[in-house]
Amino acid sequence: MDPACLKHSDLPGTSKLFSDFLYDFARVSKFYAHDPAQDGSYEAAAAQIQYPAERRAAMAAALAAQNPPSELLTRFAQPNTVAVVTGQQVGLFGGPAYTIYKALTAAKLAQNLTAGGISAVPIFWMATEDHDFAEVNHAWVFDGNGHTAKVGVEASAEWSRTQKPAGVFPLEQPPIEALRAALSGFPYTKDVIAAVEEAYQPGATLGSGFRALVLKLLAGVGVLLLDPLDPAIRAIGAPLMAQAVKAAPELKTALLERTAALTAAGYHAQVLVDAKTSLFFLLENGERKTLRLKDSECAALAERAAAVSPNALLRPVWQDFMLPTVAYVGGPGELAYFAQSSVLYEKLLGRMPVVLPRACFTLLDARCEKLLKRFGLKLTDVMVNRDRLRERIAKTLVPMTLVAEFEATAAETARGLDHLAASLQKFDPTLAAATAKSRTKVLYQIEKLRRKAERETLRRDAHASADAAYLGALLYPEGHLQERLHSILPFLAKYGLDLVDRLYEQVKPECPDHRITTL
């Protein structure tokens, strides 16, 4: 694999806040505690961690109950070991590929820190509490011909009427046969299906299946997984949650002020915060319901803190009370969360970890690389809608002699009309003004005819039309970055389960750019 890099600011949909965080940190430094690119940031964050021995022992026991025995568990239990944390919703069959990229980044950073004298372990926070079932009930894959397919499960009408955490959704019949069919034609499909079948056994939930599959795929790298629905975990985090419930009015005020500061700086708040926003949910009777507190209720609810669940802005603070977090690895949206959450860190925890972007990949096969070269396209040229991509490819197929004819005709016509306009200006200025409008129309018709010739060329070239579809489906599927839609599973089916280990070698936490890797 020979990766190339592309700046995120060149990719569609990159927010101004994320771009400045990566490439002009001084603009956003007041919203974050540490610059991940600055020497000494990790040492400074580690020095601020105060993690009592009893909390470490309780967390070590909880992690041991959720993970197989490993050197990472042993190391976590030792004093002064810190955590590099990342996390994601528990998507079916692992969710989008970037789930794995997050874990690989955390593992590589923990390895680097340990080698540099800061003992660290990577921990993956499974967002099992989230109750947005529609975001996690499916996986997007593709087959050997590049055809995209969505494999998923549906909830019963009874389940749909509830607000149960998605992580506990029971998979009575995991759609493994649909996955097998969707991955047809790849040399390692049997290995992938075997791994999925082992993880998603009868009785599995979205959370337990996710954990088993991710542990399997990352066995060669090593990551600890944490499920916050575990009562033992909730007991560890209860003191922080009780503190947050009591301080709710003050926290809300701080968030409103931070939202105003972000807006004044020219950024948007990732999470909308207004006077009605709740920082809490209540886990009760198997459901997770939004909780809006009156000041008079805060003290009473603090006694039930283990049943309180945080919203997206409070969750990382709760997480980093329970863990000795030196760094958090996140995607663009999560890094924007931290610009808001930093005020909660200040008031509740008194410290904040380094936050840094996850590794980002677009994976190319040999056919894609060949087609990009053939059509003279860059990756960003493919990141458009299908019709626009077809137009770009069609433009490269028109014979050069015809291209020259169109260019010569347009140039000659423009010169002739300009000459006519100059003569009319002397004869009658009003006619000269009309000529300018006519000039635009005439040149437009020539350009329109050229585009028709391009489309006809593409229509005649069936292979080129298929190539355009293949490029779009693999590199910009359904109008999304590849890593944000496609599961890692079709890539593993095509290249083998050891692809995860090979990608791990390509991860460089110090490099914030998007990596283009040919497999």
PDB file of all heavy atoms in Angstrom, residues 334-354:
ATOM      1  N   GLU A 334     -17.436  15.162  16.347  1.00  0.00           N
ATOM      2  CA  GLU A 334     -17.060  15.012  17.757  1.00  0.00           C
ATOM      3  C   GLU A 334     -16.073  16.089  18.187  1.00  0.00           C
ATOM      4  O   GLU A 334     -16.165  16.612  19.309  1.00  0.00           O
ATOM      5  CB  GLU A 334     -16.463  13.632  17.988  1.00  0.00           C
ATOM      6  CG  GLU A 334     -17.463  12.505  17.918  1.00  0.00           C
ATOM      7  CD  GLU A 334     -16.783  11.155  18.011  1.00  0.00           C
ATOM      8  OE1 GLU A 334     -16.060  10.798  17.063  1.00  0.00           O
ATOM      9  OE2 GLU A 334     -16.969  10.465  19.019  1.00  0.00           O
ATOM     10  N   LEU A 335     -15.125  16.418  17.337  1.00  0.00           N
ATOM     11  CA  LEU A 335     -14.185  17.476  17.688  1.00  0.00           C
ATOM     12  C   LEU A 335     -14.907  18.803  17.878  1.00  0.00           C
ATOM     13  O   LEU A 335     -14.509  19.625  18.717  1.00  0.00           O
ATOM     14  CB  LEU A 335     -13.091  17.599  16.624  1.00  0.00           C
ATOM     15  CG  LEU A 335     -11.809  16.802  16.924  1.00  0.00           C
ATOM     16  CD1 LEU A 335     -12.093  15.311  17.012  1.00  0.00           C
ATOM     17  CD2 LEU A 335     -10.751  17.058  15.853  1.00  0.00           C
ATOM     18  N   ALA A 336     -15.983  18.989  17.117  1.00  0.00           N
ATOM     19  CA  ALA A 336     -16.791  20.194  17.303  1.00  0.00           C
ATOM     20  C   ALA A 336     -17.554  20.135  18.627  1.00  0.00           C
ATOM     21  O   ALA A 336     -17.730  21.159  19.298  1.00  0.00           O
ATOM     22  CB  ALA A 336     -17.763  20.354  16.132  1.00  0.00           C
ATOM     23  N   TYR A 337     -18.018  18.933  19.033  1.00  0.00           N
ATOM     24  CA  TYR A 337     -18.657  18.785  20.347  1.00  0.00           C
ATOM     25  C   TYR A 337     -17.746  19.328  21.441  1.00  0.00           C
ATOM     26  O   TYR A 337     -18.189  20.008  22.363  1.00  0.00           O
ATOM     27  CB  TYR A 337     -18.922  17.313  20.673  1.00  0.00           C
ATOM     28  CG  TYR A 337     -20.015  16.611  19.911  1.00  0.00           C
ATOM     29  CD1 TYR A 337     -20.128  15.223  19.965  1.00  0.00           C
ATOM     30  CD2 TYR A 337     -20.951  17.307  19.147  1.00  0.00           C
ATOM     31  CE1 TYR A 337     -21.125  14.543  19.281  1.00  0.00           C
ATOM     32  CE2 TYR A 337     -21.946  16.637  18.453  1.00  0.00           C
ATOM     33  CZ  TYR A 337     -22.030  15.257  18.525  1.00  0.00           C
ATOM     34  OH  TYR A 337     -23.012  14.593  17.849  1.00  0.00           O
ATOM     35  N   PHE A 338     -16.463  18.972  21.349  1.00  0.00           N
ATOM     36  CA  PHE A 338     -15.532  19.330  22.412  1.00  0.00           C
ATOM     37  C   PHE A 338     -15.345  20.840  22.532  1.00  0.00           C
ATOM     38  O   PHE A 338     -15.002  21.329  23.610  1.00  0.00           O
ATOM     39  CB  PHE A 338     -14.190  18.629  22.205  1.00  0.00           C
ATOM     40  CG  PHE A 338     -14.155  17.227  22.731  1.00  0.00           C
ATOM     41  CD1 PHE A 338     -14.606  16.171  21.963  1.00  0.00           C
ATOM     42  CD2 PHE A 338     -13.686  16.956  24.001  1.00  0.00           C
ATOM     43  CE1 PHE A 338     -14.582  14.872  22.436  1.00  0.00           C
ATOM     44  CE2 PHE A 338     -13.661  15.663  24.500  1.00  0.00           C
ATOM     45  CZ  PHE A 338     -14.117  14.610  23.719  1.00  0.00           C
ATOM     46  N   ALA A 339     -15.559  21.566  21.448  1.00  0.00           N
ATOM     47  CA  ALA A 339     -15.483  23.025  21.532  1.00  0.00           C
ATOM     48  C   ALA A 339     -16.574  23.560  22.454  1.00  0.00           C
ATOM     49  O   ALA A 339     -16.400  24.608  23.094  1.00  0.00           O
ATOM     50  CB  ALA A 339     -15.621  23.641  20.139  1.00  0.00           C
ATOM     51  N   GLN A 340     -17.686  22.849  22.532  1.00  0.00           N
ATOM     52  CA  GLN A 340     -18.748  23.216  23.458  1.00  0.00           C
ATOM     53  C   GLN A 340     -18.533  22.560  24.824  1.00  0.00           C
ATOM     54  O   GLN A 340     -18.693  23.200  25.867  1.00  0.00           O
ATOM     55  CB  GLN A 340     -20.112  22.800  22.890  1.00  0.00           C
ATOM     56  CG  GLN A 340     -20.502  23.536  21.619  1.00  0.00           C
ATOM     57  CD  GLN A 340     -21.778  22.974  21.003  1.00  0.00           C
ATOM     58  OE1 GLN A 340     -21.731  22.084  20.164  1.00  0.00           O
ATOM     59  NE2 GLN A 340     -22.916  23.498  21.414  1.00  0.00           N
ATOM     60  N   SER A 341     -18.179  21.293  24.808  1.00  0.00           N
ATOM     61  CA  SER A 341     -18.038  20.542  26.070  1.00  0.00           C
ATOM     62  C   SER A 341     -16.921  21.066  26.952  1.00  0.00           C
ATOM     63  O   SER A 341     -16.911  20.795  28.160  1.00  0.00           O
ATOM     64  CB  SER A 341     -17.786  19.057  25.772  1.00  0.00           C
ATOM     65  OG  SER A 341     -18.878  18.463  25.130  1.00  0.00           O
ATOM     66  N   SER A 342     -15.977  21.810  26.390  1.00  0.00           N
ATOM     67  CA  SER A 342     -14.832  22.259  27.194  1.00  0.00           C
ATOM     68  C   SER A 342     -15.269  23.081  28.406  1.00  0.00           C
ATOM     69  O   SER A 342     -14.615  23.040  29.455  1.00  0.00           O
ATOM     70  CB  SER A 342     -13.851  23.057  26.330  1.00  0.00           C
ATOM     71  OG  SER A 342     -14.471  24.195  25.772  1.00  0.00           O
ATOM     72  N   VAL A 343     -16.396  23.814  28.301  1.00  0.00           N
ATOM     73  CA  VAL A 343     -16.859  24.570  29.470  1.00  0.00           C
ATOM     74  C   VAL A 343     -17.376  23.630  30.562  1.00  0.00           C
ATOM     75  O   VAL A 343     -17.289  23.948  31.760  1.00  0.00           O
ATOM     76  CB  VAL A 343     -17.953  25.592  29.075  1.00  0.00           C
ATOM     77  CG1 VAL A 343     -17.385  26.640  28.130  1.00  0.00           C
ATOM     78  CG2 VAL A 343     -19.166  24.902  28.448  1.00  0.00           C
ATOM     79  N   LEU A 344     -17.905  22.474  30.166  1.00  0.00           N
ATOM     80  CA  LEU A 344     -18.357  21.486  31.150  1.00  0.00           C
ATOM     81  C   LEU A 344     -17.159  20.815  31.818  1.00  0.00           C
ATOM     82  O   LEU A 344     -17.193  20.508  33.012  1.00  0.00           O
ATOM     83  CB  LEU A 344     -19.248  20.439  30.485  1.00  0.00           C
ATOM     84  CG  LEU A 344     -20.468  20.971  29.724  1.00  0.00           C
ATOM     85  CD1 LEU A 344     -21.299  19.813  29.181  1.00  0.00           C
ATOM     86  CD2 LEU A 344     -21.322  21.859  30.620  1.00  0.00           C
ATOM     87  N   TYR A 345     -16.110  20.561  31.027  1.00  0.00           N
ATOM     88  CA  TYR A 345     -14.871  20.028  31.604  1.00  0.00           C
ATOM     89  C   TYR A 345     -14.331  20.967  32.678  1.00  0.00           C
ATOM     90  O   TYR A 345     -13.922  20.531  33.762  1.00  0.00           O
ATOM     91  CB  TYR A 345     -13.817  19.854  30.511  1.00  0.00           C
ATOM     92  CG  TYR A 345     -13.874  18.544  29.770  1.00  0.00           C
ATOM     93  CD1 TYR A 345     -14.515  18.447  28.537  1.00  0.00           C
ATOM     94  CD2 TYR A 345     -13.286  17.398  30.282  1.00  0.00           C
ATOM     95  CE1 TYR A 345     -14.560  17.249  27.840  1.00  0.00           C
ATOM     96  CE2 TYR A 345     -13.326  16.193  29.598  1.00  0.00           C
ATOM     97  CZ  TYR A 345     -13.968  16.129  28.371  1.00  0.00           C
ATOM     98  OH  TYR A 345     -14.020  14.936  27.700  1.00  0.00           O
ATOM     99  N   GLU A 346     -14.325  22.252  32.383  1.00  0.00           N
ATOM    100  CA  GLU A 346     -13.779  23.235  33.327  1.00  0.00           C
ATOM    101  C   GLU A 346     -14.532  23.204  34.650  1.00  0.00           C
ATOM    102  O   GLU A 346     -13.935  23.263  35.731  1.00  0.00           O
ATOM    103  CB  GLU A 346     -13.855  24.636  32.709  1.00  0.00           C
ATOM    104  CG  GLU A 346     -12.931  24.845  31.515  1.00  0.00           C
ATOM    105  CD  GLU A 346     -13.220  26.152  30.800  1.00  0.00           C
ATOM    106  OE1 GLU A 346     -14.030  26.952  31.333  1.00  0.00           O
ATOM    107  OE2 GLU A 346     -12.664  26.378  29.710  1.00  0.00           O
ATOM    108  N   LYS A 347     -15.856  23.122  34.582  1.00  0.00           N
ATOM    109  CA  LYS A 347     -16.670  23.238  35.790  1.00  0.00           C
ATOM    110  C   LYS A 347     -16.806  21.923  36.563  1.00  0.00           C
ATOM    111  O   LYS A 347     -16.986  21.937  37.780  1.00  0.00           O
ATOM    112  CB  LYS A 347     -18.056  23.784  35.426  1.00  0.00           C
ATOM    113  CG  LYS A 347     -18.013  25.215  34.908  1.00  0.00           C
ATOM    114  CD  LYS A 347     -19.383  25.781  34.639  1.00  0.00           C
ATOM    115  CE  LYS A 347     -19.295  27.237  34.195  1.00  0.00           C
ATOM    116  NZ  LYS A 347     -18.681  28.106  35.229  1.00  0.00           N
ATOM    117  N   LEU A 348     -16.710  20.793  35.859  1.00  0.00           N
ATOM    118  CA  LEU A 348     -16.958  19.515  36.520  1.00  0.00           C
ATOM    119  C   LEU A 348     -15.700  18.697  36.788  1.00  0.00           C
ATOM    120  O   LEU A 348     -15.642  17.958  37.770  1.00  0.00           O
ATOM    121  CB  LEU A 348     -17.917  18.670  35.667  1.00  0.00           C
ATOM    122  CG  LEU A 348     -19.336  19.203  35.505  1.00  0.00           C
ATOM    123  CD1 LEU A 348     -20.111  18.341  34.507  1.00  0.00           C
ATOM    124  CD2 LEU A 348     -20.062  19.245  36.843  1.00  0.00           C
ATOM    125  N   LEU A 349     -14.722  18.806  35.909  1.00  0.00           N
ATOM    126  CA  LEU A 349     -13.559  17.915  36.009  1.00  0.00           C
ATOM    127  C   LEU A 349     -12.254  18.661  36.263  1.00  0.00           C
ATOM    128  O   LEU A 349     -11.309  18.093  36.815  1.00  0.00           O
ATOM    129  CB  LEU A 349     -13.456  17.075  34.725  1.00  0.00           C
ATOM    130  CG  LEU A 349     -12.687  15.762  34.806  1.00  0.00           C
ATOM    131  CD1 LEU A 349     -13.271  14.851  35.882  1.00  0.00           C
ATOM    132  CD2 LEU A 349     -12.714  15.053  33.452  1.00  0.00           C
ATOM    133  N   GLY A 350     -12.191  19.906  35.845  1.00  0.00           N
ATOM    134  CA  GLY A 350     -10.981  20.683  36.075  1.00  0.00           C
ATOM    135  C   GLY A 350      -9.832  20.334  35.153  1.00  0.00           C
ATOM    136  O   GLY A 350      -8.702  20.801  35.339  1.00  0.00           O
ATOM    137  N   ARG A 351     -10.062  19.513  34.174  1.00  0.00           N
ATOM    138  CA  ARG A 351      -9.064  19.158  33.175  1.00  0.00           C
ATOM    139  C   ARG A 351      -9.786  18.712  31.912  1.00  0.00           C
ATOM    140  O   ARG A 351     -10.985  18.441  31.938  1.00  0.00           O
ATOM    141  CB  ARG A 351      -8.162  18.021  33.661  1.00  0.00           C
ATOM    142  CG  ARG A 351      -8.895  16.700  33.882  1.00  0.00           C
ATOM    143  CD  ARG A 351      -7.957  15.564  34.268  1.00  0.00           C
ATOM    144  NE  ARG A 351      -8.677  14.337  34.604  1.00  0.00           N
ATOM    145  CZ  ARG A 351      -9.059  13.411  33.723  1.00  0.00           C
ATOM    146  NH1 ARG A 351      -8.759  13.590  32.428  1.00  0.00           N
ATOM    147  NH2 ARG A 351      -9.715  12.336  34.093  1.00  0.00           N
ATOM    148  N   MET A 352      -9.037  18.644  30.826  1.00  0.00           N
ATOM    149  CA  MET A 352      -9.601  18.211  29.556  1.00  0.00           C
ATOM    150  C   MET A 352      -8.514  17.475  28.783  1.00  0.00           C
ATOM    151  O   MET A 352      -7.340  17.883  28.813  1.00  0.00           O
ATOM    152  CB  MET A 352     -10.086  19.427  28.754  1.00  0.00           C
ATOM    153  CG  MET A 352     -10.762  19.101  27.440  1.00  0.00           C
ATOM    154  SD  MET A 352     -11.319  20.616  26.603  1.00  0.00           S
ATOM    155  CE  MET A 352     -11.970  19.925  25.077  1.00  0.00           C
ATOM    156  N   PRO A 353      -8.846  16.391  28.112  1.00  0.00           N
ATOM    157  CA  PRO A 353      -7.818  15.659  27.371  1.00  0.00           C
ATOM    158  C   PRO A 353      -7.448  16.370  26.075  1.00  0.00           C
ATOM    159  O   PRO A 353      -8.121  17.310  25.631  1.00  0.00           O
ATOM    160  CB  PRO A 353      -8.502  14.325  27.069  1.00  0.00           C
ATOM    161  CG  PRO A 353      -9.946  14.685  26.939  1.00  0.00           C
ATOM    162  CD  PRO A 353     -10.170  15.751  27.983  1.00  0.00           C
ATOM    163  N   VAL A 354      -6.371  15.928  25.480  1.00  0.00           N
ATOM    164  CA  VAL A 354      -6.068  16.311  24.105  1.00  0.00           C
ATOM    165  C   VAL A 354      -7.130  15.655  23.224  1.00  0.00           C
ATOM    166  O   VAL A 354      -7.494  14.506  23.435  1.00  0.00           O
ATOM    167  CB  VAL A 354      -4.668  15.801  23.682  1.00  0.00           C
ATOM    168  CG1 VAL A 354      -4.364  16.185  22.238  1.00  0.00           C
ATOM    169  CG2 VAL A 354      -3.601  16.333  24.623  1.00  0.00           C
TER     170      VAL A 354
END
